[in-house]
Amino acid sequence: LCVYKMAVKLVINASNASSFVPLAVAEAVKSVVAIDVIQLDGQSTTVTSNSGLVIAGPLAVSRFLCRLSGLLYSGTALQKSEIDHWLEFSVSTLGNQSGRFDQGLAVMEKVLLLRPYLVGYNVSIADMAVYAALRGNTQWSSSAYPKLARWFSLVGNHSAIKSAEKQWPSKVLGKSKSEDVGKFMELPGATEGNVVVRFPPEASGYLHIGHAKAALLNQHYQHAFKGKLLMRFDDTNPAKENRHFEEIILEDLKLLAVKPDSFSRTSDHFDLIIEKCEWMIKQGKAYADDTPSEAMKNQREQRIHSKCRDNSMETNLAMWEEMKKGSELGQTFCIRAKIDMASDNGCLRDPTMYRCRSEVHVETGSKYKVYPTYDFACPIVDSVEGVTHALRTTEYNDRDIQYNWFIEALGLRKPYIWGYSRLNLQHTVLSKRKLTWFVNEGLVEGWDDPRFPTVRGVLRRGMTVEGLRQFIVAQGSSRSVVMMDWDKLWAFNRKVIDPIAPRYIALLKRDMVALHLDGVKEGSKQVDRHPKNAALGTKTVYYSSKIWLEGEDAQSLEEGQNVTLINWGNIVITAIDRSPAGTVTMVKGQLNLGDTSYTGTVKLTWLCSNPSTPTTLIHFDHLISKAILKPNDNFMDYVNKNTKDEFVMLGDPCLKDLKKGDIIQLQRRGFYICDQPYVPPSPYSSLGELPCVLFNIPDGHTSKQSVAQQQPDVKPKVSPQVTSVTSDHGNVEMQTDMSGKAIFPDRQQQHSLPSNQPSDLSDMQKMKAKKQTTLGLQVKKEDNLGEWYSQVITKGEMIEYYDVSGCYVLRPWSFAIWENIKDDFDTKIKKMGVESVYFPMFVSRTVLEREKTHIEDFAAEVAWVTKSGDTLLNEEIAIRPTSETVMYPAFANWIRSHRDLPFKINQWCNVVRWEFKHPQPFLRTREFLWQEGHTAYANREDAVKEVYTMLDMYVELFAKLLAIPLVKGRKTEKEEFPGGDFTTTIEAFISATGRGIQAGTSHHLGQNFSKMFGITFEDPHEEGNHIYVYQNSWGITTRSIGIMVMVHGDNKGLVLPPNVAAKQVVIIPCGVSSSNIKEITECCENLGQLLREHANLRVVVDVRDNYSPGWKFNHWELKGVPLRLEIGPRDIKNKQCIAVCRDNGDKVTVHMSEAVQVIPNLLDVVHDRLYNKAKKDLDDHIVHTDNWEVFCKSLDQKKIIVVPYCGQVSCEDAIKRDSASVEVEVGAPSMGAKALCIPDDPHYSGTFRRGAKCFRPGCPNKAEYNTLFGRSY
């Protein structure tokens, strides 16, 4: 494009926010049109040409500039009409005086669901106009509109918008009211692009909000100077460093949206730090000391030199060598810096640099026996990692001199130290040592306790990430030390949640008073969930002739009074009944809906008794009773013993739909966050309904809501309630606390506790009763799949977590499933002539890297063995990530003649693949179990035939054993096995996330590996000629167990298919008493033995006498046993048992004489039902289309899509990039779609149209085949 020769003069009315549009347009088109911009406050917005033509008005000027340049206003006639619509929309709907602002935001949220911009795929004048309208409207907040917020950020980062904003007066653009932003000090010597800051936490606990301030403060300077932020774990103390805490810290940083530019550990530099220490010893700047720690402390306080201070260099080095060996003698030594024992600054009195520790380091293992102190390591690592400005709290001021001394003594580049005040909060301790004490003493539930100042704790209490960020940003980088009240923090949070928290009602149940209304029939109406945010939708309000009022409200009413029922209308109080003590017991009234004047009337919250939601409100107090602890105060003396109050409420029926983490406002009570969603009663077990549990969110006002001023219904330490559920065998009683944890009475409870455990519950808490596991699941599958999955496999006794990240213990319950898979498949392949072998798990680097293409995809995942004891190996040895390169050198020795073919072997073994970011048990682990078959054939035809034979066997295995339907097909070029000719696959589908998952593969390797490893046979038709064999490999893994859990599990726990379950049947005696216990037990045992011997079933008989039948029902449901048999006194009399199916709760009466025939048939029915349900689920979630927008929409609807596709790797990369969504599931990273397979089955592949174009917009290629795309694990 050439620059337009006619220059124009643009005059801006800077008092009008809409005039920002022509300024932004001018910046966008100035490369094409010569524009002279003049900003004059109070003038109209005009553009004048050289000929004197004047056009006035912001939108008219903007259109003129766009048409003049040919930019920002192009496209089809329809697109130009859309642009005109949005220009009008920006004024008529989004203007300050429109009155339709909220409705406009809701409309935009829907429009931007599948669009990057308002019109087309590029920014237009429409985007600029709407952006300016939002920025100029004081009502604008992105909190409730994630799609709109994404668009707003995208447009705001456009170069023309940024340039216009720099020129625009800040008082016009954006909100008129000032924001709470703290003062950020300028960094000395800082220049744009040359600032490097760091955040170096120690992984010995969870991040608290003091750490959050440090992280966000460093991030501020990272952004302000366009510099870098380094994330470094201070892992200098192996006794404190914990891998679990590392993972938590990284997750917390993601919650805070802190994105470091690089990641490191202090331990990455251990060798360098050791070198620096030895250099200082040789230079006489450090010495080894064997003074006991307590004596050394006293000497430093009294400024007395150590007897070792004048040791010779040789003596110091000898002692240092003992330390490095970790010998018993060496563990009594330390290395100290020789600075100034007479200094008034205690940090300079020969501080410790190194100590000898015997603990195993979380990252380096036992490689080192000496570890540097933080004070010695920090300046070294800061310097070598390029840190320019080290931000430290002012409590480190005395250590800053020490920091600089080490830098100067070692001759290192000197970072600038910048101090800021630490975050101090009243009624709070932030020391990790003190917080750990609370956890260890059982005074809190854990590090995420809502009373804790950890990031997790305050988020669980109801703090939003945005509220926390705003609060910390408001503190700035001031050095002033202030003891802040928590109310300040919660006040910031209120600003965030008030516009987006839907309004509901809950009444204190014990004080409720009935209100009878004459002539009212039962009915319902729809009302807004939020009076000022229509985007939150509506809720249903039920009414009838009898409703409930808050007791406190009822006491204040008078006969003849006109009052307002919130969300209904006015009524007149006609009568009030009182008890002899004067307490109101009942109120009568008459509707007065014709009176719509609500000014001056008393506003009453109310509810119908049915429907309603049982609800528990929990209010918390500070853990420390004293606001400000003095230096000499022992915090333990001020521990608040009563910090939790529970209130039983009658809740709005809508509360049944709340999910964990939902924030709401209870009218006239305050804000609350859902900690435990409502759980309905089980239709086929003794577990009654569990209430919706809501945590009160402080709002920044010191006065408490009315509910908190009353006595709690449940004391914090003892809260049992009895749930009685009628089953086929009478009443089964089970006590539960407010969280649903079972508390068994008398003999049962005592039996479940250790013998030395006190019976008083308050003592139990002190003895860490918190570690006892709650029986049922605490989250629903549809609410948070990740947390549900974690709970179901741990509480279902499938796995145990292990101290090596990404590795897990397979408990007997899950390993039995793998054994059943192994036994079935191994039997079948041996009938095909496949023989079992076992190859070593170790492979040399030379052999591993023989096939470069093959190993490239595994390179980042290979774990290496580098040492034997303390001796370095001459050559690193890899632990197998796969076995092709391990096995094939042996194949070359074993295969000589065509008579040796076909050659078929299989091994069941473990594999290690180390490098990944998000481990999930069974699904993605560092070590997993698998079977891998490897075969060799004389010709390609026979080899390819076997590839598909094995694929069909896998399909049959998943259907017959795991009740899982699969889509089989061929992988695209991008997804093929590295080094192979082609890969076939079986793909399962997880509907809860809408993601596909590879369940197994069968590869044709061609002659690639045989040529690399020299695997040949003598040509039977031509002597002396050798032919390379054709090879295959095929396998499945323990991932199959995870797929089974995901597909079939429900909100009660595991649901195991009968053919693979460790136990297919559980038999439970019911209605047991002292008079019949022997008879019922014998009947159960006899039936179990009968089914084992004559029906060949895996049966467990649960005759434990310390658990009730109801508890056993829940226990075995959680573990997923397919069939439960109940036997009680009536059943013995009638010679029958009651069979309950795990998958749907169906109950069947089975006569004992028919049990051997009926029970296996029932199990077959359960299996078929599970398979058919999963098959329907799969089929219902497959979409066929050739339209990109339908493709993206279907992805967000958790579906997988069959599309015409060209097969090009670059195109597949673009599809994955362009289809990425904001969030796929809670806690999971965003991801685009990938090619799952090219389906073989026409039922899934559909009809392929020859000559059809690839479905991706902008791809010029023709489609090669229909391909199944989807998000994937």
Side-chain angles (χ1 to χ4, degrees), residues 1217-1265:
R1217 179 191 67 239
D1218 296 343
S1219 61
S1221 178
V1222 176
E1223 184 178 55
V1224 180
E1225 64 176 278
V1226 177
S1230 63
M1231 61 173 63
K1234 61 181 284 188
L1236 302 177
C1237 71
I1238 304 162
D1240 287 345
D1241 189 341
H1243 174 70
Y1244 294 119
S1245 64
T1247 303
F1248 177 66
R1249 292 186 295 108
R1250 295 285 177 187
K1253 283 195 64 179
C1254 177
F1255 83 107
R1256 183 178 69 84
C1259 179
N1261 301 318
K1262 289 185 178 181
E1264 293 293 328
Y1265 29 67

Side-chain angles (χ1 to χ4, degrees), residues 359-596:
E359 294 89 352
V360 175
H361 192 278
V362 69
E363 185 68 18
T364 63
S366 300
K367 180 178 179 180
Y368 302 98
K369 304 300 181 184
V370 289
Y371 295 94
T373 60
Y374 173 80
D375 288 338
F376 179 54
C378 183
I380 296 174
V381 180
D382 280 351
S383 182
V384 299
E385 288 192 343
V387 173
T388 61
H389 294 79
L391 275 60
R392 292 152 66 105
T393 55
T394 51
E395 63 187 310
Y396 278 90
N397 281 353
D398 287 349
R399 282 185 160 82
D400 292 348
I401 301 174
Q402 181 196 95
Y403 180 103
N404 289 328
W405 186 91
F406 280 123
I407 289 289
E408 293 168 2
L410 292 167
L412 297 172
R413 181 191 59 82
K414 184 178 180 180
Y416 192 94
I417 299 175
W418 185 251
Y420 65 92
S421 65
R422 64 171 289 172
L423 182 60
N424 297 296
L425 288 162
Q426 296 180 12
H427 299 283
T428 305
V429 292
L430 292 178
S431 158
K432 283 186 182 179
R433 176 181 62 82
K434 295 174 182 176
L435 294 177
T436 302
W437 179 85
F438 275 99
V439 174
N440 292 340
E441 290 298 312
L443 297 174
V444 292
E445 296 175 8
W447 286 92
D448 64 345
D449 189 285
R451 293 160 290 190
F452 246 25
T454 55
V455 171
R456 295 292 178 95
V458 295
L459 292 181
R460 187 179 173 202
R461 181 83 175 267
M463 173 60 60
T464 60
V465 173
E466 180 59 25
L468 183 58
R469 285 177 57 83
Q470 289 185 16
F471 167 74
I472 291 172
V473 167
Q475 311 315 306
S477 59
S478 168
R479 299 190 184 198
S480 302
V481 178
V482 178
M483 185 61 69
M484 193 164 295
D485 195 305
W486 277 94
D487 285 344
K488 176 75 170 176
L489 171 59
W490 292 113
F492 273 89
N493 191 57
R494 181 189 175 115
K495 295 177 184 178
V496 175
I497 64 177
D498 187 44
I500 59 172
R503 272 51 168 170
Y504 298 111
I505 290 172
L507 306 178
L508 191 60
K509 198 166 184 180
R510 68 173 185 228
D511 291 342
M512 293 189 313
V513 174
L515 168 60
H516 295 271
L517 296 168
D518 294 337
V520 176
K521 295 182 180 180
E522 291 186 358
S524 64
K525 60 185 293 191
Q526 295 295 309
V527 300
D528 288 339
R529 293 177 187 267
H530 193 299
K532 298 180 180 179
N533 189 350
L536 295 179
T538 62
K539 66 174 182 177
T540 303
V541 173
Y542 298 89
Y543 53 82
S544 68
S545 59
K546 179 185 177 181
I547 63 175
W548 294 100
L549 299 179
E550 191 77 64
E552 187 178 354
D553 289 341
Q555 306 305 319
S556 66
L557 297 178
E558 298 176 0
E559 292 184 9
Q561 185 178 5
N562 191 42
V563 298
T564 301
L565 298 178
I566 294 176
N567 291 330
W568 194 352
N570 286 346
I571 67 167
V572 176
I573 304 300
T574 58
I576 299 177
D577 292 348
R578 299 180 184 273
S579 69
T583 303
V584 175
T585 57
M586 186 180 69
V587 180
K588 294 182 180 180
Q590 183 73 42
L591 286 181
N592 188 23
L593 301 181
D595 178 7
T596 58

